[in-house]
Amino acid sequence: MIGVSLLQPIMFKMRWPIGKLKKYSKNPILTPSKKNRFESAAVYNPTAVVKNNKVYLFYRAEQHYYSDYISKICLAVGDGEKFKRKGLVISPEKRYEKRGCEDPRICEIDGKYYLTYVAFSGKKTSIALAESSDLINWKKHGLIMRNTKSGCLLPRKIDGKYVLYFGDTNIYLAESKNLKEWKVYEEPVLTPRADNFDSRLVEAGCSLITKKGIFLIYNSSDGDEYKVGYAMFSKNNPSKLISRTNKPVLFPGGHWEKYGKVNYVVFASGLVEKNGCYYLYYGGADKSIGLAIGKKIY
């Protein structure tokens, strides 16, 4: 039997867990606010979780553009479409996050909430971890992965281990028994593809564990635009790629997605299930936050 490389898997036609995404008619759902200086220039790259039928939306906020910005993580709570801002929840404190706490991803595991975020020192990016029991008060656990970014923690242990997809050019896999020491797989599990919408880079966005496997929503670039794709990995072997989309499922269309701090960007990193649908939250042009909704297929 001929072996198959992780980078060149046999692809199967996949029935994805989300039906065709439709952008919310009242996008963007969250924009910069002059009322709060810390989010007066940009709010973007959100993550989300549901508690007591309310959607908790954590997002990156900045008071300036470009070289003067410092990123902080804020919270808004709402019904999934309309949100009320609750203010700052995570701010830079350590030297390794002096320039920002950025791009959060959240999941609930065994009754606790874990939030990974990018810690930016001004020169280096690393992945940091914070923990909460109530989504309001957060305890930082420091860095868990150095000199990388875009960490997406699976919402359930696999074989008793925490699983993390990470990386901002290729996507890699790491496993841990305690969220402190991590075993990193040397080979990437998802890579860019020449002459496709994801030809330059791929980054982990958010994930679900479904009956068909580990569903990963990923962000990508072809050098001109950031777009969103889907990938499915084996539940028994999170490094085994089963299928991925050949076309983007979300791409810049509206003016607010095309023009902002970084032009022509949609960046998805928040996913919740609500009312028989999946709600996908994404940043537009690194300035505002949008919503796309798809029917739950399974």
Side-chain angles (χ1 to χ4, degrees):
M1 183 176 179
I2 299 175
V4 179
S5 165
L6 290 177
L7 300 183
Q8 295 178 325
I10 297 175
M11 289 297 175
F12 299 94
K13 186 176 181 180
M14 177 60 60
R15 186 168 179 255
W16 301 102
I18 302 178
K20 185 177 180 180
L21 290 171
K22 183 178 180 180
K23 293 179 181 177
Y24 183 52
S25 62
K26 297 181 181 179
N27 274 342
I29 60 170
L30 214 63
T31 58
S33 172
K34 299 297 182 182
K35 294 180 179 179
N36 302 315
R37 185 175 181 272
F38 53 80
E39 58 180 347
S40 58
V43 294
Y44 59 111
N45 294 3
T47 190
V49 69
V50 174
K51 180 183 179 183
N52 297 330
N53 207 37
K54 292 287 186 180
V55 177
Y56 286 68
L57 191 74
F58 296 86
Y59 58 93
R60 176 176 173 177
E62 294 168 355
Q63 87 286 21
H64 295 299
Y65 270 18
Y66 311 122
S67 61
D68 293 331
Y69 78 84
I70 295 177
S71 298
K72 300 177 181 180
I73 297 173
C74 297
L75 170 64
V77 181
D79 61 6
E81 298 172 3
K82 297 179 181 179
F83 288 88
K84 183 176 181 180
R85 301 173 203 248
K86 299 296 184 178
L88 292 169
V89 291
I90 295 178
S91 299
E93 296 174 289
K94 304 293 185 178
R95 180 177 295 179
Y96 57 72
E97 59 187 14
K98 180 173 65 174
R99 282 295 308 280
C101 301
E102 307 176 350
D103 300 351
R105 274 91 161 163
I106 194 170
C107 67
E108 181 183 1
I109 305 175
D110 298 333
K112 292 184 179 179
Y113 299 98
Y114 296 97
L115 187 142
T116 57
Y117 64 93
V118 175
F120 181 41
S121 69
K123 295 181 179 180
K124 296 182 179 180
T125 58
S126 299
I127 300 172
L129 178 70
E131 176 186 338
S132 177
S133 58
D134 61 7
L135 295 173
I136 304 298
N137 301 291
W138 291 88
K139 179 181 179 181
K140 291 182 179 180
H141 290 297
L143 301 182
I144 60 171
M145 205 74 63
R146 294 178 182 272
N147 301 318
T148 188
K149 61 192 299 188
S150 301
C152 177
L153 192 64
L154 288 189
R156 193 171 74 210
K157 294 179 184 179
I158 304 292
D159 293 332
K161 299 176 182 177
Y162 298 96
V163 177
L164 181 78
Y165 290 103
F166 70 96
D168 62 334
T169 300
N170 301 307
I171 296 177
Y172 291 86
L173 178 72
E175 297 177 342
S176 174
K177 293 182 179 180
N178 57 13
L179 292 171
K180 296 178 182 178
E181 292 86 24
W182 291 85
K183 175 188 175 183
V184 178
Y185 285 62
E186 291 185 4
E187 295 293 330
V189 297
L190 197 73
T191 60
R193 296 175 292 186
D195 302 319
N196 213 317
F197 72 93
D198 49 10
S199 61
R200 184 170 180 179
L201 63 84
V202 291
E203 297 183 50
C206 43
S207 65
L208 287 173
I209 298 180
T210 75
K211 64 182 182 181
K212 293 184 181 292
I214 298 169
F215 175 58
L216 182 70
I217 296 176
Y218 70 93
N219 300 291
S220 68
S221 172
D222 60 4
D224 295 319
E225 298 183 347
Y226 272 76
K227 301 174 183 177
V228 178
Y230 294 159
M232 189 73 77
F233 293 87
S234 168
K235 279 194 293 187
N236 298 321
N237 181 2
S239 69
K240 183 180 179 182
L241 178 63
I242 298 172
S243 188
R244 67 194 292 188
T245 49
N246 288 320
K247 295 181 179 180
V249 298
L250 200 69
F251 51 87
H255 186 275
W256 69 277
E257 298 164 334
K258 292 181 178 179
Y259 304 105
K261 181 182 174 183
V262 180
N263 295 337
Y264 288 87
V265 173
V266 291
F267 193 95
S269 48
L271 183 70
V272 300
E273 179 186 341
K274 191 172 176 65
N275 301 326
C277 294
Y278 284 113
Y279 284 45
L280 180 65
Y281 298 95
Y282 63 96
D286 281 13
K287 185 176 181 180
S288 302
I289 294 173
L291 166 65
I293 302 173
K295 183 179 178 182
K296 180 182 177 181
I297 306 301
Y298 60 84

